[in-house]
Amino acid sequence: MKKVWTSLLVTTLATSALAGCASNNNGSVASPTASSAAPVSSASTNGEVQEIHVFHFMVEISEQFNAMTEEFSKKYPNIKIVNDIVGGSTDWKSDLKTRFAAGDGPDVFAVDGPSMLKLWQSRIADLSNEPWVGNALPFAKEAASIDGKLYGMPYNLQGFGLVYNKDHFAKAGITQTPKTLTELRDAAEKLKKAGITPFGNGYGEWWIFGMHQMNIPFAQQPDPDQFIQDLSDGKATIKGNALFEDYKNFLDLTLKYGNDNPITTDYKTQETLFAGGQVAMIHQGDWAEAPMRQMNPDMGNIGLMPLPINDDAEKMDRLEVGLPLFWALNKESKHLEAAKTFMNWMVTSDAGKKYLTEQFKYIPAYNNIEATSLGALSQVVLEYSKANKTIPWNFSSWPDGATNEFHASMQAYVAGKLKYDEALAKMDEAWKDLYKK
Amino acid sequence: MNRQQTKNLFHDSIFIGPALLFFFVITVIPFLFGLYYSFTSWNGVSGSAAWVGLDNYVRLFSEDTRFLHSFGFTFRFMLVSLVLSNVIGFGFALALSRHLKLTNLLRVSFFIPNVLAGLLLGFIWQFILLKGFPSIGQMTGLSFFKMNWLGDASTGFWGMVIVFVWQVSGYLMVIYISALQNVDSSIVEAARIDGASGWRSLIHIIIPLIMPSITICLFLSLSMSFKVFDLNLSLTAGGPFNSTESVTLNIYKEAFQNNRYGLGSAKAILFFLVVSLITLLQVSLTKRREVQL
């Protein structure tokens, strides 16, 4: 009998082991509003306060965002906004899924691109007839449309490339910002002679490497969307593609003239290196300026330039510009109209516009909102956008999980575990597997 | 059923009922859900899940080398951690079951890592390994500290082992201490008088007598190291190049990053079977070695 009990006990424990792993979802939630989410009372009558839950990942502006929603509630006293801001390096997408799985999905939430919109399509409302649609930038609307219907509300533009330290460049005697790979190599050589480490590579961070940097050979293809289609249909491969061969030269250059241990350098470390003046260039976006200025107010003059992977000056002088966020509306929200009112207010009211431009310092994705108070890097993004010298954020159309696989393959190349060709072949394999769903 | 039996049943259900209820709601039901999803191609978001039969399982065995690799990693990690954490835990227990002045302080300090959440430990140690070690290396010139910690497959593996062992040993130590204190000192003394050395009485008297707690400790460290997740997520996140990816992390990424919840569930079910098998085997093996006085 004792034996039976023991084995029963062990099985029980082992079962709980599994459940433990299934529910081991450590979403650390940064919720500055301390929302003790009380269940929203259904059947709201007139005059009753309606609660709208807003979920997004812009932790860097959480305070300002909370101030904005308070402003909104002043104007609409019967709508209460509860903010859940989960982001930074946390896995906010899993967090969002678990909320929906628990029947506690937010009313308005952030989606980071076409591929995520497709995933959530069955749960979000069609926004084609909203008041702001006429003023949203055409390419932004295109990115948020599925079969001619608009599912996401565009918000702002962001861009990334090589953030560089102008003072270091001047000190090393670089007068012109490099437009080609050869010019970049010369610049790196000059910087090294001046005793400055040219590149701060954050190759430990999946999104710096597997997403933003791998985007360039994809987005520089003659027809990026067609290229993606061909990859999925097995008509094209990453291995052997000319632009990916070019990319190797750029990657090798950053490694040759880069910081120590690039594989374990993450976003924070990379920012610290640059803000502290230890490196002259990092592959980063315009969002990095504010935190780095906070780290070191004496950082000096900084600029942003596209990242050249070959010597075609005209083609390489394009910045990666895209939309980091679309607002999606939960179809099953109990207060659809109130949620729409809030979304609309964010981009059409004077107060909402002011927050977008002056407080968040974002580049609006609307032709009727003028950008003001931009940082140095965002200014460059705006100029390149206006001059139409941009390449798209192609990664938001890749299969889910591709960015992480690319990151792993490229890390293996950087570590010398794989030859470059082998790493590309691995990426092809991963694409095939992930595309299959 | 007579009155006595009814009464007993009533008593039993009062004591066991709540725990059983929680176990059922929190473990059994989700488990059955997972079992169902493992036969579907659900993406984790949409309202409907398409039934695909055994496809997910076939796929795991035929084309998912990364999953198999993560099993290999977890297995190696388990073996090394199991041995190290038990040896160190037992060593601490032996040293601290004597009455030293600092006994209590030392017991507490060895136990503390266990109180901290694995997720935090991972971040703290990430900082130590990536920032602290190189600084020490620069100051002392010792090559051990100058290694590329967490930057390649082997240092990543050992980094995980170090932190895990550091976390678990104190916990095992507490169990071993209570076992050692329960050993009848007259038996040990008798052995001494018969001329057994300290080493011999440890091997032939103490260890057989505390076999039940060894069973428990082995079981705990085995299942803990096999199911390691939070530490893995925060310390290496499976990197570099997926070389330190444990099975649980692989399952998590499959379900939540690749949005293939069905496939992830199939992996989880398979993982459950493997863990059950290994722990059952271990318990039955060590159970056999327990002695009755």
Side-chain angles (χ1 to χ4, degrees), chain A residues 37 64 309 326 358 411 420:
Chain A
Q64 295 93 318
I309 59 173
F326 298 94
E358 289 173 24
Q411 271 198 322
Y420 189 71

Side-chain angles (χ1 to χ4, degrees), chain A residues 6 12 17-18 24 91 94 97 119-120 123 261 264 269 400-401 404-405 408 411 415 417 433 436-437, chain B residues 23 31 43 45 59 63 66 130-131 148 151 227 229 240-242 252 256-260 268 272 287:
Chain A
T6 315
T12 318
L18 178 81
N24 206 339
D91 193 351
S94 304
K97 276 185 211 165
L119 175 70
W120 287 85
R123 294 201 175 248
N261 299 338
T264 51
T269 313
D400 298 320
N404 305 72
E405 291 289 349
Q411 271 198 322
K417 297 274 176 209
D433 170 61
K436 250 177 65 178
K437 281 284 174 284
Chain B
F23 176 67
F31 178 80
N43 63 5
V45 172
R59 199 166 164 174
E63 47 188 270
R66 196 171 141 190
L130 293 182
K131 306 276 193 309
N148 184 8
K227 295 180 316 179
F229 175 81
F241 40 90
N242 299 335
Y252 170 80
F256 288 101
Q257 267 178 7
N258 301 352
N259 294 322
R260 297 192 287 200
F272 159 73
K287 267 267 178 249

Side-chain angles (χ1 to χ4, degrees), chain B residues 184-196 205:
Chain B
D184 193 345
S185 57
S186 61
I187 304 176
V188 183
E189 272 173 36
R192 278 278 156 78
I193 290 164
D194 287 342
I205 307 222

Side-chain angles (χ1 to χ4, degrees), chain A residues 253-402:
Chain A
L253 178 73
T254 62
L255 293 171
K256 186 180 168 192
Y257 293 98
N259 50 329
D260 288 341
N261 299 338
I263 290 187
T264 51
T265 303
D266 60 357
Y267 173 46
K268 270 274 162 280
T269 313
Q270 190 194 31
E271 278 190 325
T272 315
L273 285 174
F274 186 84
Q278 285 142 299
V279 296
M281 289 178 269
I282 55 173
H283 187 201
Q284 262 312 335
D286 53 358
W287 57 82
E289 182 170 1
M292 292 200 295
R293 290 238 181 262
Q294 248 175 352
M295 273 185 216
N296 181 10
D298 316 325
M299 188 165 58
N301 292 313
I302 61 173
L304 183 68
M305 60 179 173
L307 190 157
I309 59 173
N310 63 30
D311 284 347
D312 185 338
E314 191 265 326
K315 275 208 176 76
M316 287 302 131
D317 193 22
R318 293 180 192 172
L319 212 52
E320 300 171 89
V321 175
L323 297 108
L325 166 146
F326 298 94
W327 293 105
L329 176 58
N330 182 351
K331 213 159 62 179
E332 277 127 38
S333 165
K334 291 191 180 70
H335 313 295
L336 269 178
E337 285 315 308
K340 280 182 178 172
T341 307
F342 171 68
M343 289 167 81
N344 195 21
W345 178 89
M346 278 200 287
V347 292
T348 54
S349 75
D350 287 343
K353 288 179 186 175
K354 222 159 122 167
Y355 268 96
L356 175 59
T357 52
E358 289 173 24
Q359 292 291 322
F360 307 162
K361 299 182 171 42
Y362 281 171
I363 306 167
Y366 293 85
N367 57 17
N368 62 336
I369 311 177
E370 196 56 47
T372 55
S373 22
L374 292 181
L377 302 184
S378 300
Q379 200 54 50
V380 179
V381 175
L382 187 64
E383 280 158 22
Y384 269 87
S385 307
K386 281 188 171 158
N388 240 339
K389 292 200 294 188
T390 62
I391 48 174
W393 286 6
N394 205 243
F395 47 76
S396 50
S397 313
W398 299 348
D400 298 320

Side-chain angles (χ1 to χ4, degrees), chain A residues 19-314:
Chain A
C21 114
S23 63
N24 206 339
N25 189 316
N26 284 310
S28 53
V29 183
S31 175
T33 48
S35 63
S36 53
V40 183
S41 58
S42 53
S44 67
T45 49
N46 272 349
E48 199 179 312
V49 173
Q50 309 182 10
E51 236 180 51
I52 301 290
H53 286 249
V54 177
F55 178 98
H56 69 82
F57 51 83
M58 297 181 287
V59 278
E60 63 279 5
I61 55 154
S62 55
E63 278 171 47
Q64 295 93 318
F65 197 88
N66 289 328
M68 180 179 87
T69 51
E70 268 170 42
E71 188 107 353
F72 172 80
S73 292
K74 270 185 208 148
K75 194 162 184 284
Y76 297 89
N78 63 339
I79 305 178
K80 184 173 175 240
I81 307 279
V82 180
N83 292 319
D84 282 317
I85 306 177
V86 181
S89 55
T90 53
D91 193 351
W92 57 273
K93 287 184 185 178
S94 304
D95 195 305
L96 185 64
K97 276 185 211 165
T98 48
R99 281 164 200 257
F100 269 91
D104 190 23
D107 303 283
V108 178
F109 60 96
V111 170
D112 72 350
S115 144
M116 191 172 166
L117 277 172
K118 269 201 189 68
L119 175 70
W120 287 85
Q121 192 188 348
S122 62
R123 294 201 175 248
I124 54 184
D126 178 359
L127 302 170
S128 304
N129 303 321
E130 291 302 300
W132 43 260
V133 172
N135 290 322
L137 298 178
F139 90 95
K141 278 190 290 205
E142 203 177 310
S145 297
I146 308 173
D147 309 327
K149 284 185 184 155
L150 189 56
Y151 283 98
M153 179 177 107
Y155 200 50
N156 64 324
L157 300 182
Q158 277 183 336
F160 37 85
L162 281 174
V163 179
Y164 65 101
N165 185 319
K166 286 182 173 172
D167 303 343
H168 281 341
F169 270 49
K171 194 175 142 194
I174 304 160
T175 45
Q176 285 241 310
T177 47
K179 293 267 186 275
T180 64
L181 187 66
T182 307
E183 286 171 22
L184 188 67
R185 188 174 287 119
D186 295 343
E189 190 57 51
K190 280 178 184 160
L191 284 161
K192 200 178 157 192
K193 278 210 179 85
I196 304 158
T197 307
F199 295 101
N201 303 315
Y203 294 156
E205 198 73 66
W206 63 272
W207 51 269
I208 296 175
F209 202 12
M211 189 168 161
H212 295 180
Q213 207 157 103
M214 280 330 292
N215 181 53
I216 293 167
F218 273 95
Q220 285 280 5
Q221 301 288 339
D223 183 350
D225 293 330
Q226 190 56 44
F227 179 66
I228 284 184
Q229 197 52 51
D230 289 350
L231 277 184
S232 305
D233 298 343
K235 289 181 194 158
T237 55
I238 295 173
K239 189 184 162 184
N241 181 289
L243 281 157
F244 284 89
E245 294 306 319
D246 290 343
Y247 172 71
K248 178 180 188 290
N249 299 331
F250 170 80
L251 182 58
D252 289 347
L253 178 73
T254 62
L255 293 171
K256 186 180 168 192
Y257 293 98
N259 50 329
D260 288 341
N261 299 338
I263 290 187
T264 51
T265 303
D266 60 357
Y267 173 46
K268 270 274 162 280
T269 313
Q270 190 194 31
E271 278 190 325
T272 315
L273 285 174
F274 186 84
Q278 285 142 299
V279 296
M281 289 178 269
I282 55 173
H283 187 201
Q284 262 312 335
D286 53 358
W287 57 82
E289 182 170 1
M292 292 200 295
R293 290 238 181 262
Q294 248 175 352
M295 273 185 216
N296 181 10
D298 316 325
M299 188 165 58
N301 292 313
I302 61 173
L304 183 68
M305 60 179 173
L307 190 157
I309 59 173
N310 63 30
D311 284 347
D312 185 338
E314 191 265 326

